[in-house]
């Protein structure tokens, strides 16, 4: 595995791979890699000649009161995980190399970046779409891998790629969970043990909602019960509970065949997101 720090160098390497007809898979991450990230890496390795993983805590997707400074950065362990999982290139850019010269250009996917997580994190998705555009341009990836845990992000990136005629295929990968139910997240390290065990209740509540959907309950009843079940979790505060069309993120209607049930919940002072997709 080669570690590359310079965007120009990685682009040069990837261009020569493209010219040799090699397929390139990209896995963008912020590091503190766990089994969720590893599932994306494994998929990329299985589907491409070459896999590029980026580890970069992207400052422009964090609001001023968010956890940019305290976000975990266990880089040595990330390097080890990438090596063990047959990553070809680990891209470790810096703020200097990505945004160093007076940076003026942003990519924003309107409307669907303003709802759900976008309500409390108004600049978040603009930061994500901007950095992902840069990573796609640098890596020239044929395929890029995103977790469905960040479902809204996945839909936004797919829309961005469609709208801007980017040729990379966006692949959504299933949510990896602990046996107890909680979705793996680098931010779970912020949870105290009791809060972590309470947070398993989020998945249990989503499973109940999914069962109610397949039992034919109305969307408003499902939403109400889900809110009630989440509020049973100790020290929990709902940021949002939303039922939306799983392809467009429009508010769900009774005719939708695939409905996304998505939540953002604070347990203690740690904000967690999770979701499930219900199909008819
Ligand atoms: P992050 O490092 O949090 O920016 O995540 C990098 C990628 O890994 C994103 O596409 C996430 O959706 C994905 N990811 C994070 N946690 C999980 C998980 N538990 N299961 C599947 N994918 C995940």
């Amino acid at each position: 595995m080669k570690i590359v720090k310079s965007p120009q160098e990685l682009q040069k390497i990837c261009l020569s791979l493209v010219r040799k007809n090699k397929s390139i898979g990209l896995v963008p991450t912020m590091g503190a890699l766990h089994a969720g990230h590893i599932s994306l890496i494994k998929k990329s390795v299985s589907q491409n000649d070459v896999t590029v993983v980026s580890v970069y805590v992207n400052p422009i997707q964090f609001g001023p009161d968010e956890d940019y400074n305290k976000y975990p950065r266990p880089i040595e362990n990330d390097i080890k995980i990438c090596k063990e999982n047959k990553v070809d290139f680990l891209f470790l850019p810096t703020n200097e190399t990505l945004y160093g010269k007076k940076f003026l250009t942003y990519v924003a996917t309107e409307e669907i970046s303003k709802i759900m997580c976008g309500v409390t994190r108004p600049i978040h998705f603009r930061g994500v779409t901007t950095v992902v555009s840069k990573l796609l341009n640098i890596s020239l990836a044929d395929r890029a891998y995103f977790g469905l845990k960040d479902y809204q992000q996945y839909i936004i990136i797919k829309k961005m790629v469609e709208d801007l005629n980017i040729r990379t295929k966006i692949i959504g990968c299933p949510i990896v969970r602990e046996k107890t139910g909680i979705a793996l997240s680098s931010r779970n390290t912020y949870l105290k043990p009791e809060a972590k065990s309470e947070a398993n209740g989020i998945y249990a509540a989503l499973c109940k909602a999914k069962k109610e959907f397949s039992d034919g309950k109305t969307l408003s009843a499902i939403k109400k019960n889900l809110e009630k079940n989440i509020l049973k979790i100790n020290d929990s505060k709902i940021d949002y509970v939303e039922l939306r069309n799983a392809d467009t993120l429009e508010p769900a209607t009774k005719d939708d065949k695939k409905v996304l049930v998505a939540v953002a919940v604070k347990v203690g002072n740690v904000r967690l997101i999770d979701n499930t997709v219900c199909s008819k």
Side-chain angles (χ1 to χ4, degrees):
M1 184 181 81
K2 183 173 164 65
I3 296 178
V4 182
K5 295 194 172 164
S6 142
Q8 290 77 11
E9 187 191 348
L10 184 64
Q11 198 178 46
K12 220 162 129 187
I13 292 169
C14 292
L15 188 56
S16 87
L17 290 166
V18 169
R19 287 184 174 141
K20 287 180 195 138
N21 253 338
K22 301 283 184 203
S23 59
I24 301 173
L26 170 72
V27 183
T29 81
M30 297 205 299
L33 301 180
H34 51 63
H37 299 111
I38 294 171
S39 72
L40 273 54
I41 294 173
K42 286 203 156 116
K43 195 155 207 177
S44 174
V45 169
S46 76
Q47 294 185 336
N48 299 282
D49 296 319
V50 173
T51 289
V52 177
V53 172
S54 60
V55 170
Y56 177 59
V57 185
N58 175 35
I60 67 165
Q61 71 188 63
F62 287 78
D65 301 324
E66 294 181 358
D67 56 343
Y68 175 71
N69 285 322
K70 76 165 187 179
Y71 199 86
R73 290 166 170 86
I75 191 61
E76 289 309 321
N77 196 46
D78 289 348
I79 293 172
K80 182 165 163 270
I81 288 175
C82 287
K83 275 188 187 152
E84 283 168 2
N85 287 283
K86 306 191 175 66
V87 170
D88 299 284
F89 296 96
L90 173 58
F91 183 40
L92 301 178
T94 62
N95 295 344
E96 227 353 76
T97 57
L98 277 190
Y99 300 112
K101 301 204 189 87
K102 195 175 175 202
F103 188 79
L104 297 175
T105 308
Y106 291 86
V107 177
T109 301
E110 305 291 348
E111 292 180 25
I112 53 174
S113 291
K114 302 277 181 266
I115 58 172
M116 302 168 68
C117 288
V119 173
T120 52
R121 308 189 72 193
I123 63 160
H124 174 66
F125 289 115
R126 184 185 76 153
V128 171
T129 40
T130 301
V131 81
V132 171
S133 307
K134 284 165 79 67
L135 293 170
L136 296 179
N137 283 331
I138 293 164
S139 68
L140 307 171
D142 293 275
R143 300 180 189 84
Y145 297 81
F146 292 86
L148 298 181
K149 161 154 187 299
D150 300 277
Y151 196 93
Q152 185 179 9
Q153 167 176 281
Y154 163 68
I155 295 291
I156 289 172
I157 301 285
K158 280 219 312 191
K159 189 76 185 106
M160 173 190 84
V161 159
E162 182 194 343
D163 288 354
L164 298 182
N165 302 91
I166 298 173
R167 61 182 276 282
T168 310
K169 189 169 174 355
I170 302 303
I171 316 265
C173 305
I175 303 176
V176 177
R177 301 178 177 282
E178 291 198 9
K179 281 200 191 81
T180 49
I182 187 172
L184 293 182
S185 163
S186 308
R187 289 189 167 100
N188 288 356
T189 52
Y190 301 156
L191 287 164
K192 298 205 177 85
E194 310 106 69
K196 191 166 173 193
S197 108
E198 284 292 322
N200 290 312
I202 298 172
Y203 181 56
L206 286 170
C207 289
K208 277 188 193 149
K210 192 166 191 152
K211 167 87 174 47
E212 290 176 1
F213 184 88
S214 61
D215 290 346
K217 278 230 163 79
T218 64
L219 297 178
S220 64
I222 295 170
K223 182 166 190 243
K224 225 161 134 186
N225 285 341
L226 179 55
E227 284 168 347
K228 207 175 72 195
N229 287 326
I230 284 181
L231 290 173
K232 284 183 192 157
I233 298 169
N234 259 334
D235 206 10
S236 67
K237 207 169 141 235
I238 291 174
D239 182 349
Y240 65 76
V241 167
E242 300 253 12
L243 275 66
R244 294 193 170 255
N245 178 296
D247 296 318
T248 63
L249 301 185
E250 295 280 338
T253 69
K254 62 181 180 11
D255 300 324
D256 285 330
K257 300 271 177 286
K258 253 173 76 192
V259 171
L260 168 72
V261 180
V263 302
V265 182
K266 269 194 167 169
V267 179
N269 54 5
V270 183
R271 184 177 179 278
L272 301 169
I273 57 170
D274 203 347
N275 70 79
T276 188
V277 175
C278 306
S279 304
K280 271 185 190 151

